[in-house]
Amino acid sequence: MNLEDNSTLIKNLIRGEEKAYMFLLDTYHRQLNAYAITLTHNQSTAQDIVQNVFLKTWKSRKKLNPELSIRSFLYKCVYNEFLNHYQKNKAVVLLQAKYIEFAHEVVEETDNNALTKMIEIVNREIQKLPPKCQKVFILSKREGLTNNEIADYLDISIKTVEAQITKAFRILKKKLGAKYETILIVIFGIGRKNFAAS
């Protein structure tokens, strides 16, 4: 059986074929986890969300529609699971909700392989940043630390932190160009003004 065929995969899932479920995990787990991280900015929370999505998909597999894209279904489930998680914790405010909606739309409208490739290119360029610049940028945009926290953690001044972040934006903008602006926004929640000002 050709599990790469959407309809075949879903039909086998509906029948309860474990091979189909394992194929689903192998094919989409890493992609969904990366997407969940862009929403939560937290590895542990992202993993919990993706795990719940796969478990719920298996439990409700008989309700799946072979005519619909399993990829779109999974991404929408991650998105909904994320909203449910943060609504329970009362952590979604209007601006956050707008960003989340934007990130979801970008993923929905972008070819999966193209999106993955773009994220890989962005991450590769981040790895090429000067060591100090890279460390400050990652602590700020990936770990979510404030400038004060970074300054304390690295024992440097707040002005140095700000300068390193600005430098990182400038380098990434020069290397990646406008084409990857959207991906930077999705990965790190970076505002367009920040990107443009760099």
Short mmCIF file of all heavy atoms in Angstrom, two decimals, residues 145-186:
data_model
loop_
_atom_site.label_atom_id
_atom_site.label_comp_id
_atom_site.label_asym_id
_atom_site.label_seq_id
_atom_site.Cartn_x
_atom_site.Cartn_y
_atom_site.Cartn_z
N LEU A 145 13.79 35.68 26.70
CA LEU A 145 14.28 36.47 27.82
C LEU A 145 14.18 37.96 27.51
O LEU A 145 14.28 38.37 26.36
CB LEU A 145 15.75 36.13 28.13
CG LEU A 145 16.02 34.98 29.11
CD1 LEU A 145 15.49 33.66 28.54
CD2 LEU A 145 17.51 34.85 29.41
N THR A 146 13.98 38.76 28.55
CA THR A 146 13.96 40.21 28.36
C THR A 146 15.40 40.71 28.25
O THR A 146 16.35 39.99 28.59
CB THR A 146 13.29 40.92 29.55
OG1 THR A 146 14.09 40.70 30.73
CG2 THR A 146 11.88 40.36 29.79
N ASN A 147 15.55 41.95 27.79
CA ASN A 147 16.90 42.52 27.67
C ASN A 147 17.60 42.58 29.02
O ASN A 147 18.80 42.36 29.12
CB ASN A 147 16.82 43.92 27.05
CG ASN A 147 16.48 43.87 25.57
OD1 ASN A 147 16.35 42.80 24.99
ND2 ASN A 147 16.34 45.03 24.95
N ASN A 148 16.83 42.89 30.08
CA ASN A 148 17.40 42.95 31.43
C ASN A 148 17.90 41.57 31.87
O ASN A 148 18.98 41.44 32.46
CB ASN A 148 16.36 43.45 32.43
CG ASN A 148 16.13 44.95 32.33
OD1 ASN A 148 17.00 45.68 31.85
ND2 ASN A 148 14.97 45.41 32.76
N GLU A 149 17.09 40.55 31.59
CA GLU A 149 17.47 39.18 31.97
C GLU A 149 18.73 38.72 31.23
O GLU A 149 19.59 38.07 31.80
CB GLU A 149 16.30 38.23 31.69
CG GLU A 149 15.12 38.41 32.63
CD GLU A 149 13.90 37.62 32.21
OE1 GLU A 149 13.77 37.30 31.01
OE2 GLU A 149 13.06 37.32 33.08
N ILE A 150 18.80 39.08 29.94
CA ILE A 150 19.97 38.71 29.15
C ILE A 150 21.22 39.42 29.68
O ILE A 150 22.29 38.82 29.80
CB ILE A 150 19.76 39.06 27.66
CG1 ILE A 150 18.61 38.24 27.08
CG2 ILE A 150 21.03 38.80 26.85
CD1 ILE A 150 18.16 38.67 25.71
N ALA A 151 21.05 40.71 30.01
CA ALA A 151 22.17 41.48 30.53
C ALA A 151 22.70 40.86 31.83
O ALA A 151 23.92 40.72 32.01
CB ALA A 151 21.74 42.93 30.78
N ASP A 152 21.79 40.46 32.70
CA ASP A 152 22.18 39.83 33.97
C ASP A 152 22.83 38.48 33.72
O ASP A 152 23.85 38.13 34.32
CB ASP A 152 20.96 39.65 34.88
CG ASP A 152 20.46 40.98 35.43
OD1 ASP A 152 21.25 41.95 35.42
OD2 ASP A 152 19.28 41.05 35.84
N TYR A 153 22.23 37.70 32.83
CA TYR A 153 22.70 36.34 32.56
C TYR A 153 24.10 36.34 31.95
O TYR A 153 24.95 35.52 32.31
CB TYR A 153 21.71 35.64 31.61
CG TYR A 153 22.09 34.23 31.25
CD1 TYR A 153 22.07 33.22 32.20
CD2 TYR A 153 22.47 33.91 29.94
CE1 TYR A 153 22.42 31.91 31.87
CE2 TYR A 153 22.82 32.62 29.60
CZ TYR A 153 22.78 31.62 30.57
OH TYR A 153 23.15 30.34 30.24
N LEU A 154 24.34 37.27 31.02
CA LEU A 154 25.64 37.31 30.33
C LEU A 154 26.61 38.31 30.97
O LEU A 154 27.75 38.43 30.51
CB LEU A 154 25.43 37.67 28.85
CG LEU A 154 24.61 36.67 28.02
CD1 LEU A 154 24.46 37.19 26.58
CD2 LEU A 154 25.25 35.29 28.02
N ASP A 155 26.13 39.01 32.00
CA ASP A 155 26.95 40.00 32.70
C ASP A 155 27.45 41.08 31.73
O ASP A 155 28.65 41.39 31.67
CB ASP A 155 28.14 39.33 33.41
CG ASP A 155 28.81 40.25 34.42
OD1 ASP A 155 28.13 41.19 34.90
OD2 ASP A 155 30.01 40.05 34.71
N ILE A 156 26.51 41.63 30.97
CA ILE A 156 26.82 42.72 30.05
C ILE A 156 25.77 43.80 30.24
O ILE A 156 24.76 43.60 30.92
CB ILE A 156 26.82 42.25 28.57
CG1 ILE A 156 25.47 41.61 28.21
CG2 ILE A 156 27.96 41.29 28.30
CD1 ILE A 156 25.36 41.16 26.75
N SER A 157 26.00 44.98 29.65
CA SER A 157 25.06 46.08 29.82
C SER A 157 23.84 45.89 28.92
O SER A 157 23.89 45.16 27.91
CB SER A 157 25.73 47.41 29.47
OG SER A 157 26.00 47.48 28.08
N ILE A 158 22.75 46.55 29.30
CA ILE A 158 21.53 46.48 28.50
C ILE A 158 21.77 47.08 27.11
O ILE A 158 21.26 46.59 26.10
CB ILE A 158 20.38 47.22 29.20
CG1 ILE A 158 20.00 46.47 30.50
CG2 ILE A 158 19.15 47.30 28.29
CD1 ILE A 158 18.94 47.15 31.32
N LYS A 159 22.58 48.15 27.07
CA LYS A 159 22.89 48.76 25.78
C LYS A 159 23.62 47.79 24.85
O LYS A 159 23.38 47.79 23.64
CB LYS A 159 23.75 50.03 26.00
CG LYS A 159 22.95 51.21 26.52
CD LYS A 159 23.80 52.47 26.53
CE LYS A 159 22.96 53.67 26.97
NZ LYS A 159 23.77 54.92 26.98
N THR A 160 24.48 46.96 25.44
CA THR A 160 25.20 45.96 24.64
C THR A 160 24.21 44.93 24.10
O THR A 160 24.32 44.51 22.94
CB THR A 160 26.28 45.25 25.49
OG1 THR A 160 27.21 46.22 25.95
CG2 THR A 160 27.00 44.19 24.68
N VAL A 161 23.25 44.54 24.93
CA VAL A 161 22.22 43.58 24.51
C VAL A 161 21.45 44.16 23.33
O VAL A 161 21.27 43.50 22.30
CB VAL A 161 21.25 43.26 25.66
CG1 VAL A 161 20.07 42.42 25.15
CG2 VAL A 161 21.97 42.53 26.78
N GLU A 162 21.01 45.40 23.47
CA GLU A 162 20.24 46.06 22.41
C GLU A 162 21.05 46.17 21.12
O GLU A 162 20.54 45.95 20.02
CB GLU A 162 19.79 47.44 22.88
CG GLU A 162 18.77 47.39 24.02
CD GLU A 162 18.49 48.76 24.61
OE1 GLU A 162 19.25 49.71 24.28
OE2 GLU A 162 17.53 48.88 25.39
N ALA A 163 22.33 46.49 21.28
CA ALA A 163 23.20 46.65 20.11
C ALA A 163 23.39 45.32 19.38
O ALA A 163 23.39 45.27 18.15
CB ALA A 163 24.56 47.20 20.56
N GLN A 164 23.53 44.23 20.16
CA GLN A 164 23.73 42.91 19.56
C GLN A 164 22.48 42.44 18.84
O GLN A 164 22.56 41.81 17.77
CB GLN A 164 24.15 41.90 20.64
CG GLN A 164 25.53 42.12 21.22
CD GLN A 164 26.63 41.98 20.19
OE1 GLN A 164 26.54 41.20 19.25
NE2 GLN A 164 27.70 42.74 20.36
N ILE A 165 21.31 42.72 19.39
CA ILE A 165 20.05 42.33 18.75
C ILE A 165 19.86 43.11 17.45
O ILE A 165 19.48 42.54 16.42
CB ILE A 165 18.86 42.57 19.70
CG1 ILE A 165 18.92 41.59 20.88
CG2 ILE A 165 17.52 42.40 18.95
CD1 ILE A 165 17.87 41.83 21.95
N THR A 166 20.15 44.41 17.51
CA THR A 166 20.06 45.25 16.31
C THR A 166 21.02 44.74 15.23
O THR A 166 20.68 44.67 14.04
CB THR A 166 20.38 46.71 16.64
OG1 THR A 166 19.45 47.19 17.61
CG2 THR A 166 20.30 47.59 15.39
N LYS A 167 22.22 44.37 15.67
CA LYS A 167 23.23 43.85 14.74
C LYS A 167 22.75 42.56 14.09
O LYS A 167 22.91 42.35 12.88
CB LYS A 167 24.54 43.60 15.51
CG LYS A 167 25.68 43.09 14.64
CD LYS A 167 26.93 42.88 15.50
CE LYS A 167 28.09 42.36 14.66
NZ LYS A 167 29.30 42.14 15.50
N ALA A 168 22.12 41.69 14.89
CA ALA A 168 21.60 40.42 14.37
C ALA A 168 20.53 40.67 13.31
O ALA A 168 20.53 40.05 12.24
CB ALA A 168 21.03 39.58 15.51
N PHE A 169 19.61 41.59 13.60
CA PHE A 169 18.56 41.94 12.64
C PHE A 169 19.17 42.44 11.33
O PHE A 169 18.75 42.06 10.25
CB PHE A 169 17.65 43.02 13.21
CG PHE A 169 16.55 42.50 14.07
CD1 PHE A 169 16.38 42.99 15.36
CD2 PHE A 169 15.66 41.55 13.61
CE1 PHE A 169 15.36 42.53 16.16
CE2 PHE A 169 14.63 41.08 14.41
CZ PHE A 169 14.48 41.58 15.69
N ARG A 170 20.18 43.31 11.46
CA ARG A 170 20.81 43.91 10.29
C ARG A 170 21.47 42.85 9.41
O ARG A 170 21.33 42.85 8.19
CB ARG A 170 21.84 44.95 10.74
CG ARG A 170 22.41 45.76 9.58
CD ARG A 170 23.24 46.94 10.08
NE ARG A 170 24.39 46.50 10.87
CZ ARG A 170 24.53 46.70 12.18
NH1 ARG A 170 23.58 47.33 12.85
NH2 ARG A 170 25.61 46.28 12.82
N ILE A 171 22.18 41.93 10.07
CA ILE A 171 22.87 40.85 9.34
C ILE A 171 21.87 39.93 8.65
O ILE A 171 22.01 39.58 7.49
CB ILE A 171 23.78 40.05 10.28
CG1 ILE A 171 24.94 40.92 10.78
CG2 ILE A 171 24.33 38.80 9.58
CD1 ILE A 171 25.79 40.28 11.86
N LEU A 172 20.83 39.53 9.40
CA LEU A 172 19.83 38.61 8.85
C LEU A 172 19.06 39.26 7.70
O LEU A 172 18.76 38.60 6.70
CB LEU A 172 18.86 38.16 9.95
CG LEU A 172 19.44 37.23 11.01
CD1 LEU A 172 18.43 36.98 12.12
CD2 LEU A 172 19.88 35.90 10.39
N LYS A 173 18.74 40.53 7.86
CA LYS A 173 18.02 41.23 6.80
C LYS A 173 18.87 41.29 5.53
O LYS A 173 18.38 41.08 4.42
CB LYS A 173 17.66 42.64 7.25
CG LYS A 173 16.82 43.41 6.23
CD LYS A 173 16.41 44.75 6.78
CE LYS A 173 15.54 45.50 5.79
NZ LYS A 173 15.12 46.82 6.30
N LYS A 174 20.18 41.55 5.70
CA LYS A 174 21.09 41.63 4.56
C LYS A 174 21.24 40.27 3.90
O LYS A 174 21.25 40.14 2.67
CB LYS A 174 22.45 42.15 5.02
CG LYS A 174 23.45 42.34 3.88
CD LYS A 174 24.76 42.90 4.41
CE LYS A 174 25.77 43.07 3.28
NZ LYS A 174 27.06 43.60 3.77
N LYS A 175 21.34 39.21 4.71
CA LYS A 175 21.56 37.86 4.19
C LYS A 175 20.29 37.26 3.59
O LYS A 175 20.33 36.59 2.56
CB LYS A 175 22.05 36.95 5.33
CG LYS A 175 23.45 37.26 5.84
CD LYS A 175 24.50 36.70 4.90
CE LYS A 175 25.89 36.85 5.49
NZ LYS A 175 26.92 36.30 4.60
N LEU A 176 19.17 37.50 4.25
CA LEU A 176 17.93 36.82 3.86
C LEU A 176 17.02 37.66 2.97
O LEU A 176 16.29 37.13 2.16
CB LEU A 176 17.15 36.40 5.12
CG LEU A 176 17.92 35.50 6.08
CD1 LEU A 176 17.13 35.33 7.37
CD2 LEU A 176 18.18 34.14 5.44
N GLY A 177 17.03 38.97 3.17
CA GLY A 177 16.19 39.84 2.37
C GLY A 177 14.72 39.75 2.75
O GLY A 177 14.32 39.00 3.64
N ALA A 178 13.91 40.51 2.05
CA ALA A 178 12.48 40.60 2.36
C ALA A 178 11.76 39.26 2.20
O ALA A 178 10.75 39.00 2.83
CB ALA A 178 11.83 41.64 1.47
N LYS A 179 12.32 38.40 1.36
CA LYS A 179 11.68 37.10 1.10
C LYS A 179 11.48 36.29 2.38
O LYS A 179 10.53 35.54 2.51
CB LYS A 179 12.54 36.31 0.11
CG LYS A 179 11.95 34.97 -0.30
CD LYS A 179 12.87 34.29 -1.30
CE LYS A 179 12.29 32.93 -1.72
NZ LYS A 179 13.18 32.24 -2.67
N TYR A 180 12.41 36.46 3.32
CA TYR A 180 12.34 35.65 4.54
C TYR A 180 11.82 36.42 5.75
O TYR A 180 11.83 35.92 6.85
CB TYR A 180 13.72 35.05 4.83
CG TYR A 180 14.13 34.06 3.77
CD1 TYR A 180 14.91 34.44 2.69
CD2 TYR A 180 13.70 32.74 3.84
CE1 TYR A 180 15.26 33.53 1.71
CE2 TYR A 180 14.04 31.82 2.86
CZ TYR A 180 14.82 32.23 1.79
OH TYR A 180 15.16 31.33 0.82
N GLU A 181 11.37 37.65 5.50
CA GLU A 181 10.84 38.46 6.61
C GLU A 181 9.67 37.75 7.28
O GLU A 181 9.60 37.65 8.51
CB GLU A 181 10.38 39.82 6.09
CG GLU A 181 9.73 40.68 7.17
CD GLU A 181 9.20 41.99 6.61
OE1 GLU A 181 9.56 42.34 5.47
OE2 GLU A 181 8.42 42.64 7.31
N THR A 182 8.78 37.22 6.47
CA THR A 182 7.60 36.54 7.02
C THR A 182 7.99 35.34 7.87
O THR A 182 7.41 35.10 8.93
CB THR A 182 6.68 36.07 5.87
OG1 THR A 182 6.24 37.22 5.15
CG2 THR A 182 5.47 35.34 6.42
N ILE A 183 9.01 34.59 7.43
CA ILE A 183 9.43 33.42 8.19
C ILE A 183 10.03 33.83 9.53
O ILE A 183 9.82 33.19 10.56
CB ILE A 183 10.43 32.57 7.39
CG1 ILE A 183 9.77 32.10 6.09
CG2 ILE A 183 10.91 31.37 8.19
CD1 ILE A 183 8.49 31.30 6.29
N LEU A 184 10.79 34.94 9.55
CA LEU A 184 11.33 35.44 10.81
C LEU A 184 10.19 35.82 11.76
O LEU A 184 10.25 35.56 12.95
CB LEU A 184 12.22 36.67 10.57
CG LEU A 184 13.66 36.39 10.12
CD1 LEU A 184 14.35 37.69 9.73
CD2 LEU A 184 14.45 35.68 11.20
N ILE A 185 9.15 36.40 11.19
CA ILE A 185 7.99 36.78 12.00
C ILE A 185 7.33 35.53 12.59
O ILE A 185 6.98 35.47 13.76
CB ILE A 185 6.96 37.57 11.16
CG1 ILE A 185 7.58 38.92 10.74
CG2 ILE A 185 5.68 37.82 11.95
CD1 ILE A 185 6.77 39.67 9.70
N VAL A 186 7.17 34.51 11.75
CA VAL A 186 6.52 33.29 12.19
C VAL A 186 7.35 32.53 13.22
O VAL A 186 6.83 32.07 14.24
CB VAL A 186 6.23 32.36 10.97
CG1 VAL A 186 5.74 31.01 11.44
CG2 VAL A 186 5.19 33.01 10.08
#
